[in-house]
Amino acid sequence: ALGNAILYSDGRADEQARAIIREAAKRNVVPLGDAYIAEITGNHFDGSMPLAKILWLKGNKPEIYEKTFLNSVNISAWELMMPRREPRIRKQLNEIMRTEAPISRSLLSSRIFNAYGILRKTARLIEWMDGILDKTPYYKQEIDGLVFYWNTKEEADSYTGFRIDSKREAVDLPPREVANAARNILEQQVALPLVDLMRVTAQLLGYARFGLNVETAMRRGVQILLDGEEVKIEGDKILMK
């Protein structure tokens, strides 16, 4: 899922609907504006219309809008691995990296496989995808056997953000991103026991349940802070240096 569903009655796109009507009237597509549309269709063109909602997403949730750029098509794994498809796949990888980096190798590969309707990810298919990724200029970071990609090393070194409720699996969270979220909490709370810090960080990142995978991802992030001497341990608490 890219995000929460938008109800038909959601009126946040009313401004976009009015902009569409103004532009359509200017181009003489609907010379009488909304009144003309209502007379022809029996419906007023307002924020409940899909086109208006799409424009609202483009302006207010670009990270979601841009993820829809991949054109889906169902083909076999054998067809996907044909050499002639590689240029297009590399272009799609660039589109994903532009909107989603930092991103795990697993999630980046899955974005491509899903765009082509590939559900069964065989070892050969994964090896082929890894071969393409090895030829890209992305900065590759390996932590605890997991691989994450950044657009550049400079981006990785200077990254201070984190994404709230991004619908990713915990294993796909870059440790640096988790570390940034934990740091944000410590800057407000001053000091917290390790378990409390991990739980609050998980909640901030959108995880309601604190299972083993989530705990492991949070622990990786806190370790980044400790290794970088950004925080310290005093007694049973972790606090900013």
Side-chain angles (χ1 to χ4, degrees):
L2 296 177
N4 295 328
I6 300 178
L7 296 176
Y8 171 81
S9 57
D10 192 315
R12 287 176 292 179
D14 283 342
E15 180 180 339
Q16 284 74 19
R18 289 192 290 270
I20 291 170
I21 289 295
R22 287 196 299 271
E23 185 64 25
K26 186 190 304 182
R27 299 188 184 193
N28 205 36
V29 177
V30 284
L32 300 179
D34 183 50
Y36 177 79
I37 294 176
E39 180 182 348
I40 299 298
T41 67
N43 292 304
H44 289 283
F45 192 90
D46 55 25
S48 67
M49 295 297 167
L51 178 57
K53 284 183 167 65
I54 290 170
L55 284 183
W56 182 88
L57 283 171
K58 183 178 181 181
N60 294 275
K61 299 283 185 180
E63 71 280 5
I64 292 178
Y65 176 84
E66 291 178 354
K67 287 178 185 177
T68 66
F69 282 173
L70 297 185
N71 294 320
S72 297
V73 58
N74 291 331
I75 61 175
S76 68
W78 178 82
E79 290 177 293
L80 177 64
M81 291 188 287
M82 294 182 70
R84 64 182 175 83
R85 293 196 181 274
E86 186 170 329
R88 175 166 178 76
I89 290 168
R90 293 186 66 164
K91 180 179 178 181
Q92 290 173 316
L93 285 170
N94 288 337
E95 291 172 352
I96 297 168
M97 289 294 295
R98 181 170 57 86
T99 58
E100 296 191 58
I103 185 171
S104 71
R105 177 172 62 186
S106 173
L107 185 55
L108 181 56
S109 298
S110 290
R111 291 278 190 254
I112 296 296
F113 296 151
N114 292 342
Y116 289 91
I118 306 295
L119 301 179
R120 186 166 173 265
K121 303 171 182 65
T122 64
R124 182 183 178 190
L125 189 62
I126 292 171
E127 182 181 1
W128 168 82
M129 189 74 249
D130 288 348
I132 290 181
L133 287 170
D134 286 343
K135 291 185 281 187
T136 64
Y138 314 139
Y139 176 60
K140 179 180 176 182
Q141 190 176 56
E142 296 188 45
I143 300 175
D144 291 346
L146 302 175
V147 176
F148 300 91
Y149 286 101
W150 306 72
N151 285 298
T152 63
K153 187 178 186 302
E154 290 71 24
E155 179 186 63
D157 292 340
S158 62
Y159 188 67
T160 59
F162 58 91
R163 290 162 282 187
I164 298 173
D165 196 18
S166 63
K167 309 299 182 185
R168 290 168 294 174
E169 296 292 333
V171 72
D172 290 320
L173 293 175
R176 180 69 254 180
E177 187 172 346
V178 175
N180 292 343
R183 182 186 177 94
N184 177 268
I185 290 167
L186 286 175
E187 288 173 345
Q188 300 176 50
Q189 300 290 336
V190 182
L192 283 172
L194 173 60
V195 173
D196 291 347
L197 175 59
M198 291 193 299
R199 287 185 181 276
V200 176
T201 302
Q203 291 172 1
L204 177 61
L205 292 172
Y207 297 92
R209 294 186 178 183
F210 192 67
L212 179 60
N213 287 343
V214 173
E215 179 184 351
T216 302
M218 298 306 108
R219 196 176 294 275
R220 287 193 195 100
V222 174
Q223 192 61 51
I224 290 288
L225 294 177
L226 290 169
D227 291 345
E229 299 184 350
E230 299 175 57
V231 300
K232 61 183 178 179
I233 299 176
E234 283 192 4
D236 65 341
K237 293 186 177 181
I238 295 180
L239 62 158
M240 297 295 300
K241 274 200 169 183

